[in-house]
Amino acid sequence: MSKFEINGVSFASRSAAARHYGLEPKLVNERVTKFGWTLAQAVGADPRPSKAHSKPVEINGVKYKSVREASKALGIAKTTLARKLKAGGGFCLV
């Protein structure tokens, strides 16, 4: 019996699972041990954990879950938008 299972497929090791999904074993092991992801998350079979540190922003009356989401919707580089928010460029943090 295998020690590791993802979506009904058994693997002898994390490395075997990583190779199956076309990933470097070192990356998968780091995601599991350092970041605390499940093996399924580490190989991309399940969504990765959400980032709890994302802060909602409101720009021109529209609320976004994060600066990243707002930057995509507005077509502005994330770093540019973050800099404008920090400078107070007429944007409102929720």
Side-chain angles (χ1 to χ4, degrees), residues 22-94:
L23 298 170
E24 289 291 326
K26 182 178 178 180
L27 173 66
V28 172
N29 283 320
E30 181 180 48
R31 287 175 174 175
V32 172
T33 58
K34 186 176 180 181
F35 302 124
W37 295 11
T38 66
L39 182 57
Q41 291 169 331
V43 299
D46 286 347
R48 62 178 59 181
S50 63
K51 296 180 181 178
H53 65 276
S54 294
K55 295 179 184 176
V57 293
E58 183 177 330
I59 301 172
N60 298 330
V62 180
K63 294 181 182 182
Y64 301 94
K65 292 179 184 178
S66 65
V67 172
R68 180 176 184 221
E69 182 183 278
S71 71
K72 283 184 175 184
L74 298 170
I76 301 172
K78 183 179 131 183
T79 53
T80 302
L81 183 57
R83 186 177 65 246
K84 288 183 179 199
L85 286 167
K86 187 175 182 180
F91 298 114
C92 175
L93 290 174
V94 176

